[in-house]
Amino acid sequence: MALLNQRQLFEAMTNTYPDVLTRSVYQPMQLSQPLFKMSLAEKRELFVAALRGMLKDIGDGRSPAEVAYETDESGRLFSFGLQPMWEVREDKEKSRLVGLESLLALHTASWGVGLVVDVLDNLLDTDIDLYLQFKGLEVQAAVDALETFPSLPPISVNLRPSEWLLPEVQSMVLDATRRAPGRIVFELTEYTQDLHFTRLFGKQGSLSQRLTRTLLPVLRRMREAGVKLLADDLLPFSVYCFDGEASRKKGHRLIDHHATESSTMLSSEWSAVFHGVKISLDWVIHAMPLGKQTGAAFASVPLYSKSMKDNPGYVAAVTGKPVPEEDVERSSALRDLQKAAKAELQAALQEVQQHRFDILPVLEATLPPAQIAEWGLEGAAKEQGGIFFEARFPPAWFFGQILPPPRAQRPKVSSPKKAFPSTCNEG
């Protein structure tokens, strides 16, 4: 089977799911109340029930990929989905699928998963055996998909620093690599605020020193064993002090908890273990810059339409400064952030070129034609999501085998095709 290019998949998807940009293709679960009104215990109960149900189905003989990526199962809270990484091309007809990332997909009609992040944190902190079953299911499904579809591009799975130090996870990674050599990729993520981190990494030294002392040797051994590695969500501490208002109020500085700081990950000793790097969504949004003014498609996506990354409060929080009172000062603060982010990203991309990674750098955002041209990214990088933004799909859908929604829940809105940049719809 042949993979669809970015334009082909977009046209096939929007014919069946016209509102794919803003509404999940995973059939929504009937909830007693919205997730944001539920307690952690209530959300955890639903999450664990979904996990146990999937594990039972696999134990009963169904394949991991079939179970994990199921879109029409409305009786559980989550499935897994694959977010595409495309070769950056202004002409989407020439944009090939070159990677996929395994992510959660909630059965709640929305693409956002922020409301269950606390559940994952809680599982890792309080029931590591159950958490490892969850992570094992994710890896098992990815490998099964790669074995089922030989022409599928590599699939990457996220692992926190603490997870990398667990013997069970190391065995899982090595086994998956043996089954799908060069096709399964593991990302080092930035999360270090789990309860295991201090136990595993100690308290002596800065975050960078502790990671270098304890984690770097593990990743070296992984690479020597053939494991493909990516550094995820790079951010420069010279630009970002916090990752939002909640962190700022708690005094949780990025320098103390964000594992994948850009200058550390691009240093000679760390870059030697990675096959590539991924640039954080925030960094790309501010450096390019991207917002609801970028285009109609951007204005239709909640991330941009609600100014989640460029409103005055967020800009002040991530830079560690007070919220300006005057509009002119607020505009100036945003411009200053954008200018600093742009300078650091330009320097980082130059470093990436010098390291000559095996994998093209991944920009975790949708790139419009103007930015592709301005930054010289044509064919020189990957964009995660592409014109699908946050959407994610089962593996077979990238070959055009798209399942229609149940008739009762079929979307009735018109197709958003005209909302995309003109280069996506020419010809």
Side-chain angles (χ1 to χ4, degrees):
M1 293 189 294
L3 290 163
L4 302 183
N5 62 46
Q6 191 169 174
R7 182 188 290 180
Q8 289 171 334
L9 183 61
F10 172 68
E11 292 175 347
M13 278 300 311
T14 52
N15 284 335
T16 305
Y17 294 89
D19 54 356
V20 65
L21 297 188
T22 56
R23 183 178 177 85
S24 172
V25 300
Y26 291 76
Q27 294 306 311
M29 181 183 186
Q30 296 299 314
L31 298 171
S32 60
Q33 59 182 328
L35 280 181
F36 73 89
K37 293 185 177 181
M38 291 186 184
S39 66
L40 172 59
E42 290 171 325
K43 292 189 293 183
R44 174 175 167 144
E45 182 179 358
L46 290 173
F47 192 95
V48 171
L51 173 59
R52 294 196 189 282
M54 285 188 275
L55 293 173
K56 182 181 183 300
D57 286 346
I58 294 170
D60 290 341
R62 294 182 63 196
S63 72
E66 179 187 4
V67 172
Y69 301 119
E70 201 164 31
T71 62
D72 58 0
E73 177 52 75
S74 60
R76 69 184 188 217
L77 181 62
F78 78 92
S79 295
F80 289 97
L82 300 175
Q83 187 179 23
M85 301 179 208
W86 303 95
E87 184 181 45
V88 172
R89 295 289 181 187
E90 184 174 344
D91 182 355
K92 302 309 177 188
E93 189 75 36
K94 298 179 181 178
S95 180
R96 299 179 300 116
L97 183 67
V98 287
L100 298 160
E101 181 177 359
S102 173
L103 296 169
L104 283 179
L106 297 184
H107 289 261
T108 58
S110 169
W111 286 119
V113 297
L115 291 173
V116 297
V117 170
D118 58 344
V119 176
L120 289 176
D121 294 341
N122 180 263
L123 280 180
L124 178 57
D125 287 343
T126 65
D127 194 337
I128 197 167
D129 290 336
L130 188 58
Y131 181 87
L132 289 177
Q133 290 182 59
F134 159 77
K135 188 57 64 172
L137 171 61
E138 182 178 19
V139 173
Q140 191 179 12
V143 173
D144 184 41
L146 291 168
E147 291 176 338
T148 302
F149 301 98
S151 56
L152 206 64
I155 297 176
S156 61
V157 177
N158 291 306
L159 292 173
R160 305 180 185 208
S162 293
E163 293 176 74
W164 278 107
L165 297 190
L166 301 175
E168 301 92 332
V169 171
Q170 294 176 16
S171 296
M172 181 194 308
V173 167
L174 293 172
D175 179 65
T177 298
R178 284 190 289 268
R179 289 180 58 188
R183 300 183 65 215
I184 185 79
V185 181
F186 292 93
E187 301 184 16
L188 168 64
T189 67
E190 71 276 15
Y191 300 103
T192 65
Q193 293 178 296
D194 55 87
L195 296 182
H196 303 281
F197 188 82
T198 299
R199 172 176 63 86
L200 295 168
F201 288 85
K203 297 181 179 180
Q204 299 300 314
S206 66
L207 173 62
S208 176
Q209 290 170 337
R210 286 180 285 162
L211 290 167
T212 300
R213 180 174 63 240
T214 307
L215 178 59
L216 186 57
V218 173
L219 296 183
R220 284 198 186 107
R221 292 197 299 271
M222 291 289 111
R223 172 153 183 154
E224 290 169 358
V227 177
K228 283 277 189 179
L229 299 167
L230 284 174
D232 184 33
D233 218 11
L234 266 61
L235 272 178
F237 292 165
S238 59
V239 177
Y240 297 93
C241 299
F242 301 95
D243 57 11
E245 184 59 33
S247 294
R248 181 180 181 174
K249 287 181 178 179
K250 296 176 183 177
H252 292 168
R253 301 183 306 163
L254 278 177
I255 197 170
D256 297 325
H257 72 81
H258 192 99
T260 52
E261 195 273 329
S262 56
S263 65
T264 299
M265 296 297 102
L266 293 174
S267 66
S268 57
E269 56 182 350
W270 276 92
S271 62
V273 305
F274 294 119
H275 296 85
V277 297
K278 301 178 74 175
I279 306 298
S280 166
L281 173 65
D282 283 42
W283 194 1
V284 178
I285 286 176
H286 294 141
M288 294 251 161
L290 306 175
K292 58 187 177 184
Q293 76 286 344
T294 301
F298 287 77
S300 70
V301 175
L303 174 68
Y304 298 99
S305 65
K306 297 180 180 180
S307 299
M308 295 173 66
K309 300 295 185 180
D310 57 9
N311 68 77
Y314 188 81
V315 171
V318 300
T319 56
K321 299 177 181 178
V323 179
E325 295 184 2
E326 302 294 332
D327 288 343
V328 64
E329 294 174 336
R330 293 179 176 185
S331 297
S332 178
L334 175 59
R335 287 196 301 272
D336 288 346
L337 171 59
Q338 292 169 339
K339 181 179 179 180
K342 180 175 183 178
E344 288 293 334
L345 184 54
Q346 289 173 329
L349 290 177
Q350 290 178 352
E351 284 194 65
V352 168
Q353 290 180 336
Q354 294 172 1
H355 288 307
R356 300 183 181 275
F357 290 116
D358 298 346
I359 298 173
L360 291 174
V362 181
L363 304 178
E364 300 189 71
T366 296
L367 306 182
Q371 276 72 11
I372 293 174
E374 177 185 347
W375 287 73
L377 296 173
E378 179 79 13
K382 301 178 186 179
E383 58 174 338
Q384 185 150 341
I387 56 179
F388 293 97
F389 289 85
E390 292 299 306
R392 56 212 67 155
F393 312 114
W397 291 27
F398 296 100
F399 298 94
Q401 299 181 21
I402 300 168
L403 297 178
R407 183 173 299 277
Q409 300 184 35
R410 186 179 298 276
K412 296 181 180 180
V413 300
S414 59
S415 169
K417 289 183 182 180
K418 294 182 180 179
F420 288 106
S422 60
T423 54
C424 299
N425 298 295
E426 295 173 359

